PDB file of all heavy atoms in Angstrom:
ATOM      1  N   ILE I   1     128.212  60.907  92.261  1.00 98.00           N
ATOM      2  CA  ILE I   1     129.154  60.674  93.352  1.00 98.00           C
ATOM      3  C   ILE I   1     129.344  59.170  93.518  1.00 98.00           C
ATOM      4  O   ILE I   1     128.452  58.381  93.216  1.00 98.00           O
ATOM      5  CB  ILE I   1     128.680  61.303  94.684  1.00 98.00           C
ATOM      6  CG1 ILE I   1     127.342  60.701  95.126  1.00 98.00           C
ATOM      7  CG2 ILE I   1     128.565  62.815  94.555  1.00 98.00           C
ATOM      8  CD1 ILE I   1     126.881  61.167  96.515  1.00 98.00           C
ATOM      9  N   LYS I   2     130.531  58.783  93.996  1.00 97.00           N
ATOM     10  CA  LYS I   2     130.835  57.363  94.187  1.00 97.00           C
ATOM     11  C   LYS I   2     131.689  57.200  95.432  1.00 97.00           C
ATOM     12  O   LYS I   2     132.533  58.051  95.724  1.00 97.00           O
ATOM     13  CB  LYS I   2     131.582  56.789  92.979  1.00 97.00           C
ATOM     14  CG  LYS I   2     132.035  55.342  93.124  1.00 97.00           C
ATOM     15  CD  LYS I   2     132.782  54.885  91.874  1.00 97.00           C
ATOM     16  CE  LYS I   2     133.307  53.452  92.030  1.00 97.00           C
ATOM     17  NZ  LYS I   2     134.457  53.381  92.958  1.00 97.00           N
ATOM     18  N   LYS I   3     131.476  56.102  96.153  1.00 97.00           N
ATOM     19  CA  LYS I   3     132.299  55.776  97.308  1.00 97.00           C
ATOM     20  C   LYS I   3     132.606  54.287  97.314  1.00 97.00           C
ATOM     21  O   LYS I   3     131.700  53.454  97.210  1.00 97.00           O
ATOM     22  CB  LYS I   3     131.608  56.158  98.621  1.00 97.00           C
ATOM     23  CG  LYS I   3     132.459  55.832  99.848  1.00 97.00           C
ATOM     24  CD  LYS I   3     131.794  56.255 101.153  1.00 97.00           C
ATOM     25  CE  LYS I   3     132.699  55.933 102.341  1.00 97.00           C
ATOM     26  NZ  LYS I   3     132.105  56.362 103.634  1.00 97.00           N
ATOM     27  N   GLY I   4     133.886  53.953  97.429  1.00 94.00           N
ATOM     28  CA  GLY I   4     134.275  52.558  97.512  1.00 94.00           C
ATOM     29  C   GLY I   4     133.936  51.778  96.258  1.00 94.00           C
ATOM     30  O   GLY I   4     133.921  52.311  95.155  1.00 94.00           O
ATOM     31  N   THR I   5     133.636  50.500  96.446  1.00 90.00           N
ATOM     32  CA  THR I   5     133.381  49.612  95.310  1.00 90.00           C
ATOM     33  C   THR I   5     131.913  49.310  95.075  1.00 90.00           C
ATOM     34  O   THR I   5     131.578  48.593  94.139  1.00 90.00           O
ATOM     35  CB  THR I   5     134.119  48.270  95.526  1.00 90.00           C
ATOM     36  OG1 THR I   5     133.614  47.648  96.718  1.00 90.00           O
ATOM     37  CG2 THR I   5     135.614  48.475  95.651  1.00 90.00           C
ATOM     38  N   ASP I   6     131.013  49.873  95.912  1.00 93.00           N
ATOM     39  CA  ASP I   6     129.611  49.456  95.786  1.00 93.00           C
ATOM     40  C   ASP I   6     128.592  50.565  95.951  1.00 93.00           C
ATOM     41  O   ASP I   6     127.391  50.301  95.998  1.00 93.00           O
ATOM     42  CB  ASP I   6     129.306  48.354  96.811  1.00 93.00           C
ATOM     43  CG  ASP I   6     129.464  48.842  98.252  1.00 93.00           C
ATOM     44  OD1 ASP I   6     130.084  49.901  98.458  1.00 93.00           O
ATOM     45  OD2 ASP I   6     128.969  48.152  99.167  1.00 93.00           O
ATOM     46  N   LYS I   7     129.022  51.827  96.000  1.00 97.00           N
ATOM     47  CA  LYS I   7     128.073  52.928  96.225  1.00 97.00           C
ATOM     48  C   LYS I   7     128.222  53.987  95.135  1.00 97.00           C
ATOM     49  O   LYS I   7     129.279  54.592  94.981  1.00 97.00           O
ATOM     50  CB  LYS I   7     128.298  53.566  97.598  1.00 97.00           C
ATOM     51  CG  LYS I   7     128.145  52.631  98.784  1.00 97.00           C
ATOM     52  CD  LYS I   7     128.446  53.368 100.081  1.00 97.00           C
ATOM     53  CE  LYS I   7     128.346  52.439 101.283  1.00 97.00           C
ATOM     54  NZ  LYS I   7     129.434  51.414 101.254  1.00 97.00           N
ATOM     55  N   VAL I   8     127.130  54.225  94.383  1.00 97.00           N
ATOM     56  CA  VAL I   8     127.101  55.250  93.341  1.00 97.00           C
ATOM     57  C   VAL I   8     125.735  55.916  93.347  1.00 97.00           C
ATOM     58  O   VAL I   8     124.710  55.237  93.460  1.00 97.00           O
ATOM     59  CB  VAL I   8     127.355  54.671  91.927  1.00 97.00           C
ATOM     60  CG1 VAL I   8     127.516  55.792  90.909  1.00 97.00           C
ATOM     61  CG2 VAL I   8     128.562  53.762  91.906  1.00 97.00           C
ATOM     62  N   ALA I   9     125.705  57.242  93.223  1.00 98.00           N
ATOM     63  CA  ALA I   9     124.435  57.968  93.136  1.00 98.00           C
ATOM     64  C   ALA I   9     124.567  59.072  92.099  1.00 98.00           C
ATOM     65  O   ALA I   9     125.646  59.653  91.924  1.00 98.00           O
ATOM     66  CB  ALA I   9     124.055  58.566  94.488  1.00 98.00           C
ATOM     67  N   SER I  10     123.485  59.360  91.399  1.00 98.00           N
ATOM     68  CA  SER I  10     123.473  60.413  90.379  1.00 98.00           C
ATOM     69  C   SER I  10     122.224  61.267  90.512  1.00 98.00           C
ATOM     70  O   SER I  10     121.148  60.767  90.867  1.00 98.00           O
ATOM     71  CB  SER I  10     123.535  59.820  88.963  1.00 98.00           C
ATOM     72  OG  SER I  10     124.824  59.361  88.645  1.00 98.00           O
ATOM     73  N   LEU I  11     122.378  62.549  90.186  1.00 98.00           N
ATOM     74  CA  LEU I  11     121.272  63.499  90.198  1.00 98.00           C
ATOM     75  C   LEU I  11     121.154  64.130  88.817  1.00 98.00           C
ATOM     76  O   LEU I  11     122.149  64.591  88.253  1.00 98.00           O
ATOM     77  CB  LEU I  11     121.538  64.594  91.244  1.00 98.00           C
ATOM     78  CG  LEU I  11     120.574  65.774  91.263  1.00 98.00           C
ATOM     79  CD1 LEU I  11     119.200  65.330  91.753  1.00 98.00           C
ATOM     80  CD2 LEU I  11     121.125  66.900  92.139  1.00 98.00           C
ATOM     81  N   PHE I  12     119.942  64.160  88.265  1.00 98.00           N
ATOM     82  CA  PHE I  12     119.710  64.782  86.962  1.00 98.00           C
ATOM     83  C   PHE I  12     119.589  66.297  87.138  1.00 98.00           C
ATOM     84  O   PHE I  12     118.786  66.775  87.938  1.00 98.00           O
ATOM     85  CB  PHE I  12     118.426  64.236  86.324  1.00 98.00           C
ATOM     86  CG  PHE I  12     118.575  62.869  85.741  1.00 98.00           C
ATOM     87  CD1 PHE I  12     118.580  61.743  86.556  1.00 98.00           C
ATOM     88  CD2 PHE I  12     118.720  62.699  84.375  1.00 98.00           C
ATOM     89  CE1 PHE I  12     118.719  60.474  86.026  1.00 98.00           C
ATOM     90  CE2 PHE I  12     118.853  61.432  83.827  1.00 98.00           C
ATOM     91  CZ  PHE I  12     118.858  60.314  84.660  1.00 98.00           C
ATOM     92  N   LEU I  13     120.382  67.037  86.367  1.00 98.00           N
ATOM     93  CA  LEU I  13     120.349  68.502  86.386  1.00 98.00           C
ATOM     94  C   LEU I  13     119.638  69.072  85.160  1.00 98.00           C
ATOM     95  O   LEU I  13     119.108  70.186  85.213  1.00 98.00           O
ATOM     96  CB  LEU I  13     121.774  69.050  86.446  1.00 98.00           C
ATOM     97  CG  LEU I  13     122.658  68.536  87.602  1.00 98.00           C
ATOM     98  CD1 LEU I  13     124.052  69.133  87.486  1.00 98.00           C
ATOM     99  CD2 LEU I  13     122.030  68.845  88.950  1.00 98.00           C
ATOM    100  N   ALA I  14     119.625  68.342  84.077  1.00 98.00           N
ATOM    101  CA  ALA I  14     118.977  68.766  82.832  1.00 98.00           C
ATOM    102  C   ALA I  14     118.681  67.505  82.011  1.00 98.00           C
ATOM    103  O   ALA I  14     119.347  66.474  82.185  1.00 98.00           O
ATOM    104  CB  ALA I  14     119.870  69.726  82.056  1.00 98.00           C
ATOM    105  N   PRO I  15     117.656  67.559  81.140  1.00 97.00           N
ATOM    106  CA  PRO I  15     116.788  68.696  80.817  1.00 97.00           C
ATOM    107  C   PRO I  15     115.785  68.996  81.935  1.00 97.00           C
ATOM    108  O   PRO I  15     115.711  68.242  82.911  1.00 97.00           O
ATOM    109  CB  PRO I  15     116.072  68.216  79.549  1.00 97.00           C
ATOM    110  CG  PRO I  15     116.005  66.717  79.722  1.00 97.00           C
ATOM    111  CD  PRO I  15     117.299  66.341  80.390  1.00 97.00           C
ATOM    112  N   ALA I  16     115.030  70.053  81.752  1.00 97.00           N
ATOM    113  CA  ALA I  16     114.083  70.484  82.780  1.00 97.00           C
ATOM    114  C   ALA I  16     113.072  69.390  83.113  1.00 97.00           C
ATOM    115  O   ALA I  16     112.647  69.253  84.269  1.00 97.00           O
ATOM    116  CB  ALA I  16     113.362  71.752  82.327  1.00 97.00           C
ATOM    117  N   SER I  17     112.689  68.591  82.114  1.00 95.00           N
ATOM    118  CA  SER I  17     111.686  67.543  82.336  1.00 95.00           C
ATOM    119  C   SER I  17     112.198  66.430  83.254  1.00 95.00           C
ATOM    120  O   SER I  17     111.406  65.694  83.843  1.00 95.00           O
ATOM    121  CB  SER I  17     111.270  66.928  80.995  1.00 95.00           C
ATOM    122  OG  SER I  17     112.392  66.402  80.305  1.00 95.00           O
ATOM    123  N   ASP I  18     113.522  66.316  83.386  1.00 96.00           N
ATOM    124  CA  ASP I  18     114.107  65.266  84.226  1.00 96.00           C
ATOM    125  C   ASP I  18     114.813  65.819  85.459  1.00 96.00           C
ATOM    126  O   ASP I  18     115.293  65.042  86.290  1.00 96.00           O
ATOM    127  CB  ASP I  18     115.122  64.454  83.414  1.00 96.00           C
ATOM    128  CG  ASP I  18     114.476  63.645  82.317  1.00 96.00           C
ATOM    129  OD1 ASP I  18     113.970  62.556  82.608  1.00 96.00           O
ATOM    130  OD2 ASP I  18     114.471  64.104  81.157  1.00 96.00           O
ATOM    131  N   LYS I  19     114.873  67.127  85.587  1.00 97.00           N
ATOM    132  CA  LYS I  19     115.602  67.746  86.692  1.00 97.00           C
ATOM    133  C   LYS I  19     115.059  67.268  88.041  1.00 97.00           C
ATOM    134  O   LYS I  19     113.852  67.242  88.260  1.00 97.00           O
ATOM    135  CB  LYS I  19     115.502  69.273  86.608  1.00 97.00           C
ATOM    136  CG  LYS I  19     116.365  69.989  87.630  1.00 97.00           C
ATOM    137  CD  LYS I  19     116.319  71.488  87.428  1.00 97.00           C
ATOM    138  CE  LYS I  19     117.201  72.192  88.444  1.00 97.00           C
ATOM    139  NZ  LYS I  19     117.188  73.664  88.250  1.00 97.00           N
ATOM    140  N   GLY I  20     115.985  66.884  88.923  1.00 97.00           N
ATOM    141  CA  GLY I  20     115.584  66.422  90.250  1.00 97.00           C
ATOM    142  C   GLY I  20     115.456  64.921  90.380  1.00 97.00           C
ATOM    143  O   GLY I  20     115.412  64.392  91.495  1.00 97.00           O
ATOM    144  N   ARG I  21     115.393  64.211  89.252  1.00 97.00           N
ATOM    145  CA  ARG I  21     115.396  62.751  89.337  1.00 97.00           C
ATOM    146  C   ARG I  21     116.749  62.298  89.882  1.00 97.00           C
ATOM    147  O   ARG I  21     117.779  62.928  89.633  1.00 97.00           O
ATOM    148  CB  ARG I  21     115.179  62.110  87.962  1.00 97.00           C
ATOM    149  CG  ARG I  21     113.761  62.210  87.446  1.00 97.00           C
ATOM    150  CD  ARG I  21     113.476  61.124  86.412  1.00 97.00           C
ATOM    151  NE  ARG I  21     114.346  61.203  85.247  1.00 97.00           N
ATOM    152  CZ  ARG I  21     114.474  60.237  84.340  1.00 97.00           C
ATOM    153  NH1 ARG I  21     113.803  59.105  84.478  1.00 97.00           N
ATOM    154  NH2 ARG I  21     115.264  60.384  83.305  1.00 97.00           N
ATOM    155  N   SER I  22     116.762  61.190  90.594  1.00 98.00           N
ATOM    156  CA  SER I  22     118.023  60.686  91.120  1.00 98.00           C
ATOM    157  C   SER I  22     118.036  59.165  91.065  1.00 98.00           C
ATOM    158  O   SER I  22     116.983  58.514  91.063  1.00 98.00           O
ATOM    159  CB  SER I  22     118.253  61.164  92.556  1.00 98.00           C
ATOM    160  OG  SER I  22     117.186  60.774  93.403  1.00 98.00           O
ATOM    161  N   THR I  23     119.241  58.620  90.993  1.00 98.00           N
ATOM    162  CA  THR I  23     119.424  57.172  90.970  1.00 98.00           C
ATOM    163  C   THR I  23     120.441  56.793  92.034  1.00 98.00           C
ATOM    164  O   THR I  23     121.332  57.575  92.377  1.00 98.00           O
ATOM    165  CB  THR I  23     119.921  56.689  89.594  1.00 98.00           C
ATOM    166  OG1 THR I  23     121.077  57.446  89.213  1.00 98.00           O
ATOM    167  CG2 THR I  23     118.842  56.848  88.534  1.00 98.00           C
ATOM    168  N   LEU I  24     120.311  55.584  92.540  1.00 98.00           N
ATOM    169  CA  LEU I  24     121.204  55.089  93.587  1.00 98.00           C
ATOM    170  C   LEU I  24     121.532  53.632  93.294  1.00 98.00           C
ATOM    171  O   LEU I  24     120.660  52.850  92.926  1.00 98.00           O
ATOM    172  CB  LEU I  24     120.529  55.195  94.959  1.00 98.00           C
ATOM    173  CG  LEU I  24     121.259  54.548  96.140  1.00 98.00           C
ATOM    174  CD1 LEU I  24     122.564  55.278  96.443  1.00 98.00           C
ATOM    175  CD2 LEU I  24     120.356  54.527  97.378  1.00 98.00           C
ATOM    176  N   ARG I  25     122.816  53.302  93.458  1.00 97.00           N
ATOM    177  CA  ARG I  25     123.229  51.909  93.339  1.00 97.00           C
ATOM    178  C   ARG I  25     124.014  51.509  94.579  1.00 97.00           C
ATOM    179  O   ARG I  25     124.989  52.172  94.957  1.00 97.00           O
ATOM    180  CB  ARG I  25     124.097  51.687  92.102  1.00 97.00           C
ATOM    181  CG  ARG I  25     124.527  50.230  91.941  1.00 97.00           C
ATOM    182  CD  ARG I  25     125.253  49.976  90.639  1.00 97.00           C
ATOM    183  NE  ARG I  25     125.528  48.542  90.483  1.00 97.00           N
ATOM    184  CZ  ARG I  25     126.148  48.007  89.429  1.00 97.00           C
ATOM    185  NH1 ARG I  25     126.547  48.785  88.433  1.00 97.00           N
ATOM    186  NH2 ARG I  25     126.361  46.713  89.372  1.00 97.00           N
ATOM    187  N   LEU I  26     123.568  50.432  95.198  1.00 96.00           N
ATOM    188  CA  LEU I  26     124.273  49.824  96.322  1.00 96.00           C
ATOM    189  C   LEU I  26     124.551  48.380  95.940  1.00 96.00           C
ATOM    190  O   LEU I  26     123.650  47.535  96.004  1.00 96.00           O
ATOM    191  CB  LEU I  26     123.446  49.897  97.607  1.00 96.00           C
ATOM    192  CG  LEU I  26     123.111  51.299  98.134  1.00 96.00           C
ATOM    193  CD1 LEU I  26     122.166  51.224  99.317  1.00 96.00           C
ATOM    194  CD2 LEU I  26     124.388  52.043  98.518  1.00 96.00           C
ATOM    195  N   GLY I  27     125.747  48.101  95.488  1.00 93.00           N
ATOM    196  CA  GLY I  27     126.066  46.763  95.004  1.00 93.00           C
ATOM    197  C   GLY I  27     125.215  46.404  93.800  1.00 93.00           C
ATOM    198  O   GLY I  27     125.209  47.100  92.790  1.00 93.00           O
ATOM    199  N   ASP I  28     124.443  45.322  93.908  1.00 91.00           N
ATOM    200  CA  ASP I  28     123.603  44.875  92.795  1.00 91.00           C
ATOM    201  C   ASP I  28     122.216  45.518  92.798  1.00 91.00           C
ATOM    202  O   ASP I  28     121.412  45.248  91.906  1.00 91.00           O
ATOM    203  CB  ASP I  28     123.427  43.346  92.861  1.00 91.00           C
ATOM    204  CG  ASP I  28     124.753  42.614  92.737  1.00 91.00           C
ATOM    205  OD1 ASP I  28     125.649  43.131  92.046  1.00 91.00           O
ATOM    206  OD2 ASP I  28     124.898  41.539  93.356  1.00 91.00           O
ATOM    207  N   ASN I  29     121.916  46.363  93.784  1.00 95.00           N
ATOM    208  CA  ASN I  29     120.593  46.951  93.927  1.00 95.00           C
ATOM    209  C   ASN I  29     120.574  48.388  93.411  1.00 95.00           C
ATOM    210  O   ASN I  29     121.428  49.198  93.787  1.00 95.00           O
ATOM    211  CB  ASN I  29     120.165  46.927  95.392  1.00 95.00           C
ATOM    212  CG  ASN I  29     120.140  45.516  95.954  1.00 95.00           C
ATOM    213  OD1 ASN I  29     119.433  44.649  95.448  1.00 95.00           O
ATOM    214  ND2 ASN I  29     120.926  45.268  96.993  1.00 95.00           N
ATOM    215  N   LEU I  30     119.582  48.706  92.564  1.00 97.00           N
ATOM    216  CA  LEU I  30     119.474  50.027  91.951  1.00 97.00           C
ATOM    217  C   LEU I  30     118.072  50.589  92.169  1.00 97.00           C
ATOM    218  O   LEU I  30     117.079  49.847  92.117  1.00 97.00           O
ATOM    219  CB  LEU I  30     119.769  49.967  90.443  1.00 97.00           C
ATOM    220  CG  LEU I  30     121.181  49.581  90.006  1.00 97.00           C
ATOM    221  CD1 LEU I  30     121.335  48.069  89.932  1.00 97.00           C
ATOM    222  CD2 LEU I  30     121.502  50.200  88.638  1.00 97.00           C
ATOM    223  N   TRP I  31     118.004  51.912  92.376  1.00 98.00           N
ATOM    224  CA  TRP I  31     116.730  52.593  92.575  1.00 98.00           C
ATOM    225  C   TRP I  31     116.679  53.881  91.757  1.00 98.00           C
ATOM    226  O   TRP I  31     117.701  54.507  91.472  1.00 98.00           O
ATOM    227  CB  TRP I  31     116.533  52.970  94.041  1.00 98.00           C
ATOM    228  CG  TRP I  31     116.307  51.835  94.971  1.00 98.00           C
ATOM    229  CD1 TRP I  31     115.122  51.272  95.345  1.00 98.00           C
ATOM    230  CD2 TRP I  31     117.315  51.113  95.695  1.00 98.00           C
ATOM    231  NE1 TRP I  31     115.323  50.258  96.240  1.00 98.00           N
ATOM    232  CE2 TRP I  31     116.663  50.139  96.485  1.00 98.00           C
ATOM    233  CE3 TRP I  31     118.719  51.219  95.762  1.00 98.00           C
ATOM    234  CZ2 TRP I  31     117.351  49.273  97.306  1.00 98.00           C
ATOM    235  CZ3 TRP I  31     119.411  50.346  96.578  1.00 98.00           C
ATOM    236  CH2 TRP I  31     118.732  49.389  97.335  1.00 98.00           C
ATOM    237  N   LEU I  32     115.458  54.270  91.416  1.00 98.00           N
ATOM    238  CA  LEU I  32     115.180  55.544  90.757  1.00 98.00           C
ATOM    239  C   LEU I  32     114.186  56.314  91.607  1.00 98.00           C
ATOM    240  O   LEU I  32     113.172  55.751  92.042  1.00 98.00           O
ATOM    241  CB  LEU I  32     114.589  55.309  89.355  1.00 98.00           C
ATOM    242  CG  LEU I  32     113.984  56.534  88.651  1.00 98.00           C
ATOM    243  CD1 LEU I  32     115.070  57.548  88.290  1.00 98.00           C
ATOM    244  CD2 LEU I  32     113.214  56.100  87.405  1.00 98.00           C
ATOM    245  N   ASN I  33     114.482  57.596  91.842  1.00 97.00           N
ATOM    246  CA  ASN I  33     113.552  58.462  92.570  1.00 97.00           C
ATOM    247  C   ASN I  33     113.097  59.593  91.649  1.00 97.00           C
ATOM    248  O   ASN I  33     113.919  60.283  91.041  1.00 97.00           O
ATOM    249  CB  ASN I  33     114.218  59.060  93.811  1.00 97.00           C
ATOM    250  CG  ASN I  33     113.237  59.878  94.637  1.00 97.00           C
ATOM    251  OD1 ASN I  33     112.363  59.342  95.294  1.00 97.00           O
ATOM    252  ND2 ASN I  33     113.379  61.200  94.580  1.00 97.00           N
ATOM    253  N   ILE I  34     111.786  59.753  91.536  1.00 96.00           N
ATOM    254  CA  ILE I  34     111.202  60.824  90.730  1.00 96.00           C
ATOM    255  C   ILE I  34     110.505  61.789  91.678  1.00 96.00           C
ATOM    256  O   ILE I  34     109.649  61.368  92.467  1.00 96.00           O
ATOM    257  CB  ILE I  34     110.198  60.263  89.699  1.00 96.00           C
ATOM    258  CG1 ILE I  34     110.908  59.254  88.778  1.00 96.00           C
ATOM    259  CG2 ILE I  34     109.580  61.391  88.881  1.00 96.00           C
ATOM    260  CD1 ILE I  34     109.977  58.546  87.817  1.00 96.00           C
ATOM    261  N   PRO I  35     110.864  63.073  91.631  1.00 93.00           N
ATOM    262  CA  PRO I  35     110.286  64.039  92.574  1.00 93.00           C
ATOM    263  C   PRO I  35     108.760  64.031  92.551  1.00 93.00           C
ATOM    264  O   PRO I  35     108.138  63.938  91.490  1.00 93.00           O
ATOM    265  CB  PRO I  35     110.841  65.381  92.079  1.00 93.00           C
ATOM    266  CG  PRO I  35     112.096  65.033  91.358  1.00 93.00           C
ATOM    267  CD  PRO I  35     111.831  63.698  90.718  1.00 93.00           C
ATOM    268  N   ASN I  36     108.167  64.096  93.734  1.00 88.00           N
ATOM    269  CA  ASN I  36     106.715  64.216  93.899  1.00 88.00           C
ATOM    270  C   ASN I  36     105.915  63.027  93.377  1.00 88.00           C
ATOM    271  O   ASN I  36     104.714  63.142  93.131  1.00 88.00           O
ATOM    272  CB  ASN I  36     106.207  65.502  93.223  1.00 88.00           C
ATOM    273  CG  ASN I  36     106.923  66.739  93.719  1.00 88.00           C
ATOM    274  OD1 ASN I  36     107.166  66.886  94.917  1.00 88.00           O
ATOM    275  ND2 ASN I  36     107.277  67.621  92.796  1.00 88.00           N
ATOM    276  N   VAL I  37     106.582  61.896  93.189  1.00 87.00           N
ATOM    277  CA  VAL I  37     105.881  60.714  92.702  1.00 87.00           C
ATOM    278  C   VAL I  37     105.663  59.697  93.821  1.00 87.00           C
ATOM    279  O   VAL I  37     104.696  58.948  93.823  1.00 87.00           O
ATOM    280  CB  VAL I  37     106.657  60.059  91.533  1.00 87.00           C
ATOM    281  CG1 VAL I  37     106.087  58.687  91.185  1.00 87.00           C
ATOM    282  CG2 VAL I  37     106.619  60.966  90.306  1.00 87.00           C
ATOM    283  N   GLY I  38     106.548  59.674  94.796  1.00 85.00           N
ATOM    284  CA  GLY I  38     106.436  58.695  95.878  1.00 85.00           C
ATOM    285  C   GLY I  38     107.807  58.195  96.256  1.00 85.00           C
ATOM    286  O   GLY I  38     108.815  58.836  95.985  1.00 85.00           O
ATOM    287  N   LYS I  39     107.856  57.042  96.885  1.00 92.00           N
ATOM    288  CA  LYS I  39     109.143  56.512  97.311  1.00 92.00           C
ATOM    289  C   LYS I  39     109.925  55.954  96.127  1.00 92.00           C
ATOM    290  O   LYS I  39     109.349  55.646  95.072  1.00 92.00           O
ATOM    291  CB  LYS I  39     108.937  55.440  98.373  1.00 92.00           C
ATOM    292  CG  LYS I  39     108.186  54.210  97.902  1.00 92.00           C
ATOM    293  CD  LYS I  39     108.014  53.227  99.051  1.00 92.00           C
ATOM    294  CE  LYS I  39     107.299  51.957  98.570  1.00 92.00           C
ATOM    295  NZ  LYS I  39     107.139  50.982  99.679  1.00 92.00           N
ATOM    296  N   PRO I  40     111.247  55.818  96.255  1.00 96.00           N
ATOM    297  CA  PRO I  40     112.072  55.287  95.153  1.00 96.00           C
ATOM    298  C   PRO I  40     111.603  53.909  94.703  1.00 96.00           C
ATOM    299  O   PRO I  40     111.115  53.107  95.507  1.00 96.00           O
ATOM    300  CB  PRO I  40     113.469  55.226  95.773  1.00 96.00           C
ATOM    301  CG  PRO I  40     113.451  56.239  96.867  1.00 96.00           C
ATOM    302  CD  PRO I  40     112.055  56.205  97.429  1.00 96.00           C
ATOM    303  N   VAL I  41     111.757  53.642  93.416  1.00 96.00           N
ATOM    304  CA  VAL I  41     111.359  52.355  92.851  1.00 96.00           C
ATOM    305  C   VAL I  41     112.599  51.600  92.396  1.00 96.00           C
ATOM    306  O   VAL I  41     113.599  52.190  91.985  1.00 96.00           O
ATOM    307  CB  VAL I  41     110.390  52.533  91.659  1.00 96.00           C
ATOM    308  CG1 VAL I  41     109.104  53.164  92.117  1.00 96.00           C
ATOM    309  CG2 VAL I  41     111.035  53.361  90.548  1.00 96.00           C
ATOM    310  N   ARG I  42     112.522  50.285  92.476  1.00 97.00           N
ATOM    311  CA  ARG I  42     113.634  49.449  92.046  1.00 97.00           C
ATOM    312  C   ARG I  42     113.740  49.453  90.526  1.00 97.00           C
ATOM    313  O   ARG I  42     112.719  49.416  89.814  1.00 97.00           O
ATOM    314  CB  ARG I  42     113.447  48.017  92.548  1.00 97.00           C
ATOM    315  CG  ARG I  42     113.523  47.857  94.053  1.00 97.00           C
ATOM    316  CD  ARG I  42     114.933  48.034  94.579  1.00 97.00           C
ATOM    317  NE  ARG I  42     115.817  46.966  94.187  1.00 97.00           N
ATOM    318  CZ  ARG I  42     116.041  45.867  94.910  1.00 97.00           C
ATOM    319  NH1 ARG I  42     115.428  45.709  96.075  1.00 97.00           N
ATOM    320  NH2 ARG I  42     116.877  44.938  94.489  1.00 97.00           N
ATOM    321  N   ILE I  43     114.953  49.468  90.025  1.00 96.00           N
ATOM    322  CA  ILE I  43     115.215  49.355  88.595  1.00 96.00           C
ATOM    323  C   ILE I  43     116.269  48.273  88.408  1.00 96.00           C
ATOM    324  O   ILE I  43     116.912  47.846  89.368  1.00 96.00           O
ATOM    325  CB  ILE I  43     115.683  50.694  87.986  1.00 96.00           C
ATOM    326  CG1 ILE I  43     116.914  51.232  88.731  1.00 96.00           C
ATOM    327  CG2 ILE I  43     114.547  51.708  87.985  1.00 96.00           C
ATOM    328  CD1 ILE I  43     117.479  52.526  88.154  1.00 96.00           C
TER     329      ILE I  43
END
């Protein structure tokens, strides 16, 4: 999904080993979230 010029987010649907992972971009800042691992980490 995307909104405007600075907001983008993605959700992994497959493969099963990556399902549920998500990424977020707000301008120059990017994060990765891995289910059951903890809070999102900067990438």
Side-chain angles (χ1 to χ4, degrees):
I1 61 174
K2 176 181 177 287
K3 180 178 181 179
T5 61
D6 63 344
K7 300 178 182 67
V8 188
S10 285
L11 172 69
F12 283 78
L13 305 178
S17 57
D18 293 278
K19 187 175 181 179
R21 286 203 300 166
S22 57
T23 52
L24 172 67
R25 181 174 185 179
L26 298 174
D28 299 328
N29 301 301
L30 295 86
W31 290 270
L32 168 68
N33 184 72
I34 301 174
N36 305 318
V37 169
K39 64 181 182 179
V41 296
R42 294 289 291 268
I43 55 178

